[in-house]
Amino acid sequence: MDASWSNPAHVLDVAVRVISAPRPEMLPRFSQELSAVLPHRAAAMQTGDCPRSPFKVTGDTTITGAVTSAELDHLAERAIPGEAVVLDGVLAGSERRLVLLTSRPAIGNGAVIALVPSDAEPTVEALGIAARLWHLTSTDAGQRAVDPGPDVLASNLAAAAARAQTVTDLGQTHAATLVALLAVLRSGRLGDAAARQTATDLAARALLDLRAVADRDQALSAESARGAFGVLADQLSPVVGHADVAVDLVAPTDDRQLRQDIAHTARTVTRGLVIAALDRPGTTRIRASWRLDRAVLRITVRDDAPDIPDVVLDPGLTERITPLGGSWEVDAVPGWGATITAALPLDTVEPPELRPLDRLNARELEVLSGISQGLRNRQIAAQLQLSEHTVKFHVRNLLEKLEVSSRGEAAALARDLRLDPVAVHRTA
């Protein structure tokens, strides 16, 4: 093994290069770096954290081109989290000497990777380094999956839905074929009992594999609403456990399935709002809840901070909900606290080409209508039955979204784009 691996600086440099790789390049980068200490011909990975592409391969195409997810499922049952296991197993349709790496990180669902080593018996030292590097890599991957960036949310949502439909269609087609095969083989009309039994066993195993694919696809593509909220509660536990604030977490009563991108985003938004409320002076109680309202998941975080000169939302949270068609409602009243609600559509939406006014939600359009009529914040608040602080929040947001610096510029833009005050009022 290269002596540089005994140098902590070199090991840290390798770790940085691996976890800095973009998600699609994670496996090739990991394989490339690991090959210096554990040479291998190919690597195949199956993860529980990526709804878009859970199965990935790299290396010798004569091997990777024939690897199946069902093979990795069977190998995962023999893996030991946190250890590198050397065994003989089936990969790419052939019995091979393999190294299995798997982990069970605190965040995420973990992953299993099967390596085809160049040496039949890798050294103990090389196996130990491989196991630790994989644990670090999969932990980072799990964190990225739990807290995805806004640039991947919309594409992941559409990809997960399309993949789920494809797997369902394939599963139904193959299942129908195998059921017909079993019916023929069980009819007793074949004379060779041994052949019939063998074919029956093979077909039954294929049906089990198909069901496993469907089960895994369901796990990768969706979470139950209550299960997703339970993960949120676990994530918030160390944050609120030592705070001098009573935090009530109210799980949804509806336990429908949520697409994983929706579940991840909902957890990220809720955590951000709860932490922001904890930081507001004078807060003694926070209530965070999820509610499924038809085709929308509503996230509501309410606090009782008495002094709220202004409620400022983290721009990063807005960036996360915007690709999914989400929107905010904010009501902040001094002496009573703030109530912030995020609405996330549950269905896949095709992002339209945005015009300036399309960037504004319904409430911001109403406020812009008042500005275009020359009304002050107090007058707009009275007209819309909101607090003046809430109107100030909407004014600041719409100025940023319209990329203008003053109320006058916003009013001029509204007039140029022919904002219809009556139409806006009807959509409230």
Side-chain angles (χ1 to χ4, degrees), residues 118-327:
S118 302
D119 301 326
E121 296 297 334
T123 66
V124 173
E125 187 177 5
L127 294 173
I129 291 175
R132 287 170 175 78
L133 184 60
W134 181 245
H135 181 70
L136 173 66
T137 304
S138 58
T139 298
D140 175 70
Q143 178 61 61
R144 289 198 235 180
V146 168
D147 197 12
D151 56 330
V152 303
L153 290 175
S155 60
N156 273 3
L157 183 64
R163 185 176 59 82
Q165 183 61 51
T166 299
V167 171
T168 298
D169 292 344
L170 286 173
Q172 290 175 347
T173 299
H174 289 298
T177 302
L178 290 171
V179 168
L181 175 61
L182 283 172
V184 171
L185 293 175
R186 287 170 174 168
S187 69
R189 297 179 181 178
L190 295 178
D192 190 340
R196 185 167 65 250
Q197 182 60 51
T198 301
T200 300
D201 291 343
L202 289 173
R205 181 57 181 268
L207 273 174
L208 290 175
D209 286 344
L210 280 171
R211 289 169 184 162
V213 169
D215 291 343
R216 187 178 66 252
D217 183 75
Q218 176 71 10
L220 292 173
S221 301
E223 297 181 54
S224 70
R226 292 180 191 170
F229 194 87
V231 173
L232 168 69
D234 291 340
Q235 293 172 346
L236 282 175
S237 178
V239 177
V240 304
H242 304 289
D244 296 328
V245 176
V247 180
D248 298 326
L249 301 177
V250 183
T253 56
D254 189 331
D255 201 25
R256 270 183 280 166
Q257 294 291 304
L258 303 178
R259 288 192 175 92
Q260 278 210 343
D261 287 330
I262 295 292
H264 289 330
T265 301
R267 285 193 288 260
T268 300
V269 168
T270 309
R271 287 199 310 270
L273 294 178
V274 168
I275 291 171
L278 286 170
D279 287 340
R280 281 195 273 276
T283 299
T284 64
R285 180 174 291 278
I286 299 171
R287 186 180 190 272
S289 64
W290 288 6
R291 180 169 62 88
L292 277 76
D293 182 9
R294 296 182 181 177
V296 175
L297 170 62
R298 300 193 186 279
I299 303 163
T300 302
V301 176
R302 179 179 302 146
D303 66 68
D304 63 350
D307 183 17
I308 306 179
D310 221 345
V311 175
V312 179
L313 289 179
D314 183 348
L317 296 181
T318 299
E319 290 177 0
R320 291 182 183 281
I321 69 171
T322 299
L324 301 180
S327 61

Side-chain angles (χ1 to χ4, degrees), residues 351-386:
E353 181 180 355
L354 288 179
R355 297 168 297 172
L357 294 184
D358 292 334
R359 302 188 186 113
L360 307 185
N361 60 37
R363 185 66 79 189
E364 289 164 348
L365 285 170
E366 290 177 325
V367 172
L368 178 59
S369 175
I371 292 175
S372 69
Q373 298 172 54
L375 302 180
R376 296 183 177 276
N377 286 351
R378 183 176 300 176
Q379 295 170 306
I380 296 173
Q383 179 178 315
L384 300 179
Q385 297 183 338
L386 299 173

